[in-house]
Amino acid sequence: MGYLGNHLATVVTGVFAAILTGLWPYFVDFAPILNFVFIMAVPITWFLTFTCWISQKSTDYMHKYEIHENHSEKKSLSSSQTTQIYTSDGKQVSPTEIKVAQNELSGELNKLKESVKLKDSEIERLNQEISNLQTLVQIESLKTELANLKMLASKSKSKSK
């Protein structure tokens, strides 16, 4: 956290804005373009300083930042806290009940995985049968086409004689 309370960006931007503001009167007479640069830069840097300050205040508020809390206190608080789980009707659930429910759900999940594997193997078998049937249909259509060609060939031979 440091001495600045996480306001380092605010301080750096504020110092830069103050320096620009302090230097402005010395450079007014040099060139009109330099005056224009200062007219633009000074308000922008003060706006950035204000934005940094507001955002840090917001962050501090959202995280309820406490300056004097030690890291060891955080460890002791986190180790002493236990997770308590409640059912939808407001009853507290013990860790053993959670383990039993996890085991039951794991068993059901394994059963579902096995049934999915069986279904997958059955689908694969049916796909193989479909491809075999398609092959048989193709063979039969080829036989029919061959028989038609033989008939046409025999008719053309009988007409040519």
Side-chain angles (χ1 to χ4, degrees), residues 111-123:
K111 288 178 187 176
L112 284 173
K113 284 181 181 178
E114 287 300 319
S115 68
V116 166
K117 285 180 185 176
L118 291 175
K119 300 279 190 223
D120 285 344
S121 64
E122 187 175 339
I123 289 171

Side-chain angles (χ1 to χ4, degrees), residues 33-137:
I33 191 71
L34 203 52
N35 190 28
F36 177 73
V37 168
F38 274 99
I39 287 173
M40 296 300 290
V42 169
I44 289 171
T45 53
W46 282 115
F47 174 75
L48 286 173
T49 303
F50 177 74
T51 305
C52 288
W53 180 75
I54 286 293
S55 65
Q56 187 59 50
K57 285 294 183 183
S58 172
T59 302
D60 291 346
Y61 177 77
M62 292 302 291
H63 293 288
K64 305 280 191 257
Y65 201 79
E66 296 178 16
I67 296 173
H68 301 293
E69 187 173 340
N70 291 336
H71 186 67
S72 60
E73 291 176 19
K74 288 181 185 178
K75 281 185 179 179
S76 66
L77 285 175
S78 65
S79 64
S80 66
Q81 293 175 344
T82 58
T83 304
Q84 297 177 354
I85 299 175
Y86 295 93
T87 61
S88 59
D89 58 351
K91 295 179 182 177
Q92 187 175 356
V93 181
S94 68
T96 56
E97 292 172 337
I98 293 172
K99 286 290 183 189
V100 168
Q102 283 178 340
N103 290 337
E104 289 175 3
L105 291 174
S106 295
E108 289 180 24
L109 182 63
N110 289 334
K111 288 178 187 176
L112 284 173
K113 284 181 181 178
E114 287 300 319
S115 68
V116 166
K117 285 180 185 176
L118 291 175
K119 300 279 190 223
D120 285 344
S121 64
E122 187 175 339
I123 289 171
E124 184 62 35
R125 185 184 57 79
L126 290 173
N127 282 336
Q128 185 64 36
E129 284 184 26
I130 288 170
S131 66
N132 288 342
L133 288 173
Q134 287 174 344
T135 304
L136 288 175
V137 167

Side-chain angles (χ1 to χ4, degrees), residues 19-30 38:
I19 289 172
L20 282 179
T21 305
L23 290 177
W24 189 1
Y26 297 108
F27 289 101
V28 170
D29 297 331
F30 283 117
F38 274 99

